[in-house]
């Protein structure tokens, strides 16, 4: 029987999704220094696709503050070598229609 990791590695699509998720989490770790210390645990890495990176905020207040920091975070992401042209901030758990 395969482990979950083995199954992910064996499937090209799942491996690609896992790699992008890992890259997004790593990118957040690199730019988190630019977030106020009280907000760092309230922001999660979201999708990283085709030059657009999304971060997930725990609530609307956190999202508002993170949106103010988008230029700084975007510059830090680029300085870290990420090919990111756009940074979106979404509230975690909220769906958009």
């Amino acid at each position: 029987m395969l482990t979950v990791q083995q199954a992910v590695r064996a499937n090209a699509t799942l491996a690609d999704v896992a790699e992008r998720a890992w890259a997004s989490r790593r990118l957040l770790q690199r730019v988190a220094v630019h977030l106020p210390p009280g907000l760092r645990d309230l922001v999660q890495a979201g999708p990283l696709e085709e030059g657009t990176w999304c971060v997930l905020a725990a609530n609307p207040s956190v999202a508002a503050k993170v949106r103010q920091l988008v230029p700084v975070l975007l510059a830090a992401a680029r300085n870290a070598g990420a090919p990111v042209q756009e940074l979106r901030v979404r509230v975690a758990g909220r769906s958009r229609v």
Side-chain angles (χ1 to χ4, degrees), residues 31-96:
V31 304
V33 67
H34 299 286
L35 292 170
L39 294 184
R40 291 178 189 162
D41 290 337
L42 300 173
V43 177
Q44 298 176 2
L48 176 61
E49 297 175 340
E50 299 178 15
T52 300
W53 183 36
C54 182
V55 295
L56 306 172
N59 59 57
S61 297
V62 171
K65 181 59 181 174
V66 174
R67 284 186 185 104
Q68 292 175 343
L69 298 170
V70 162
V72 173
L73 298 173
L74 192 54
R78 289 176 180 158
N79 287 339
V84 177
Q85 289 83 39
E86 182 180 5
L87 174 57
R88 295 182 180 171
V89 180
R90 300 285 185 249
V91 177
R94 283 189 149 181
S95 62
R96 296 196 73 160

